[in-house]
């Protein structure tokens, strides 16, 4: 995603510094994912992950992929004013 596309996005605020593996900025070994809101209400996560999260060489570990999906789904629901687990 180019910077031009990111200019139209608003940071999706976290309610607190937390140790969540996916989005927690206080977790030194976590993914530290940042989420942004697009004008159409969709949620964007411009993630770039290091090879420490590899499964097979050159591919993300399946558990990390599941984490990306889980985090994205929870933020998308929250962006609609709902709460879900």
């Amino acid at each position: 995603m180019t910077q031009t596309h990111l200019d139209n996005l608003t940071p999706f605020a976290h309610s607190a510094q937390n140790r969540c593996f996916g989005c927690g900025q206080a977790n030194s070994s976590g993914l530290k994912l940042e989420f942004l809101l697009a004008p159409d209400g969709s949620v964007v996560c411009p993630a770039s992950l290091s090879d420490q999260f590899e499964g097979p060489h050159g591919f993300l570990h399946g558990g990390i992929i599941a984490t990306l999906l889980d985090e994205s789904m929870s933020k998308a629901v929250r962006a609609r004013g709902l709460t879900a687990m």
Side-chain angles (χ1 to χ4, degrees):
M1 181 171 284
T2 65
Q3 185 61 39
T4 303
H5 291 102
L6 294 178
D7 289 342
N8 297 327
L9 304 175
T10 304
F12 196 80
H14 294 283
S15 59
Q17 288 286 334
N18 64 58
R19 295 189 40 78
C20 172
F21 177 74
C23 67
Q25 299 302 307
N27 187 332
S28 61
S29 61
L31 301 177
K32 294 184 171 75
L33 299 172
E34 294 185 39
F35 290 87
L36 305 161
L37 288 175
D40 67 359
S42 62
V43 178
V44 178
C45 179
S48 179
L49 303 177
S50 77
D51 61 2
Q52 77 181 29
F53 300 111
E54 272 187 349
H57 180 69
F59 295 91
L60 281 176
H61 186 278
I64 298 301
I65 293 169
T67 299
L68 291 169
L69 179 61
D70 178 66
E71 290 288 331
S72 298
M73 289 173 31
S74 71
K75 302 305 182 285
V77 167
R78 207 171 98 208
R80 302 279 189 273
L82 303 170
T83 303
M85 294 264 182

